[in-house]
Amino acid sequence: MYNMDLATIAVIAANILVSLKGFNDTSFFERYKFNISAINAGQKDRMLTSGFLHVDWAHLFFNMFTLYFFAPVVIGWLGTGKFLVVYFVSLLAGSLLAMFFHKNEPYYSAVGASGAVTGVLYAAILLQPDMRLGFMFIPIPLPAYVFGIGYLLYSIYGMRSRIGNIGHTAHFGGAVGGYVSTLLFLPQLLVQETFMVLLLAVPIIVLFVMEKMGKI
């Protein structure tokens, strides 16, 4: 086990503490979850606080487990401070995209660190696209960039089909936040890894083209 950076420990601890409060206090959970009508009424803090609430232990564990593995990649390349910027930019980008796509659904609600974590994941993939990621249902580890592109294309499908009780929009927005903030911190990637930067942008372009065409 590697020695976790203090920033990773702090983020995980904050998610655990806020989620525990939400598990045991329904009024707290309802007040700070992402909800379109409440945000439109002025409770903008929900766009941030909802990213620290989770529906149950499994939801919390999966997000923190993913963060545990990919935060070190981002911290190794960018440092602690910029990692935190990537995390919070991704969290807010997920909320903003959810606001954009669900603005006419006043009862739409969501919770979870998935947007922020997906942003860290996509940032890590941009920084180390040749990482090999293994999954129990796929016998051969996949290059990270293949997983990243496939995941975002699946998110587009999920957004369009409304499949499952999953915040596909926040996931996608988080990935965009992680992608853009990483390029802002390391613009040299545009020259050094031009093909990979363009390849990882494909799902983002596809989403906004589909939105302009009214397909999503």
Side-chain angles (χ1 to χ4, degrees):
M1 178 185 294
Y2 68 89
N3 292 320
M4 276 198 293
D5 186 273
L6 283 175
T8 309
I9 295 171
V11 169
I12 291 175
N15 273 277
I16 291 172
L17 291 172
V18 175
S19 293
L20 276 172
K21 175 68 174 174
F23 293 162
N24 297 301
D25 187 338
T26 303
S27 62
F28 178 86
F29 184 91
E30 291 296 321
R31 169 57 184 86
Y32 292 107
K33 72 180 183 181
F34 182 95
N35 176 265
I36 296 290
S37 61
I39 293 170
N40 285 334
Q43 294 178 358
K44 307 298 185 187
D45 57 320
R46 290 173 180 259
M47 298 180 72
L48 177 66
T49 58
S50 59
F52 291 88
L53 289 168
H54 291 80
V55 294
D56 54 32
W57 280 107
H59 186 206
L60 174 63
F61 174 79
F62 181 78
N63 277 330
M64 296 304 99
F65 187 70
T66 305
L67 182 66
Y68 169 83
F69 276 105
F70 291 99
V73 176
V74 179
I75 292 170
W77 279 80
L78 301 180
T80 298
K82 291 177 181 176
F83 158 73
L84 288 172
V85 172
V86 170
Y87 185 90
F88 283 100
V89 165
S90 300
L91 194 165
L92 292 173
S95 292
L96 286 169
L97 198 69
M99 283 293 296
F100 177 77
F101 276 99
H102 300 286
K103 58 182 176 291
N104 297 319
E105 303 170 46
Y107 297 106
Y108 180 85
S109 297
V111 294
S114 301
V117 172
T118 304
V120 171
L121 169 62
Y122 216 65
I125 290 171
L126 180 60
L127 293 166
Q128 289 185 201
D130 292 329
M131 284 189 299
R132 310 293 288 192
L133 303 180
F135 304 91
M136 36 185 197
F137 51 88
I138 301 176
I140 302 173
L142 295 174
Y145 71 89
V146 173
F147 170 79
I149 293 168
Y151 183 78
L152 288 197
L153 291 175
Y154 170 74
S155 294
I156 292 173
Y157 172 74
M159 290 164 65
R160 190 177 183 202
S161 305
R162 303 296 181 94
I163 57 172
N165 188 27
I166 299 171
H168 297 286
T169 314
H171 294 182
F172 199 102
V176 174
Y179 176 85
V180 172
S181 55
T182 299
L183 288 178
L184 289 174
F185 286 135
L186 290 177
Q188 61 266 37
L189 291 173
L190 290 164
V191 176
Q192 297 170 354
E193 299 288 348
T194 305
F195 176 73
M196 193 57 62
V197 168
L198 293 174
L199 192 61
L200 288 170
V202 168
I204 299 170
I205 295 168
V206 168
L207 174 69
F208 287 102
V209 168
M210 288 180 68
E211 191 278 329
K212 287 294 183 184
M213 295 173 63
K215 300 290 187 182
I216 195 166

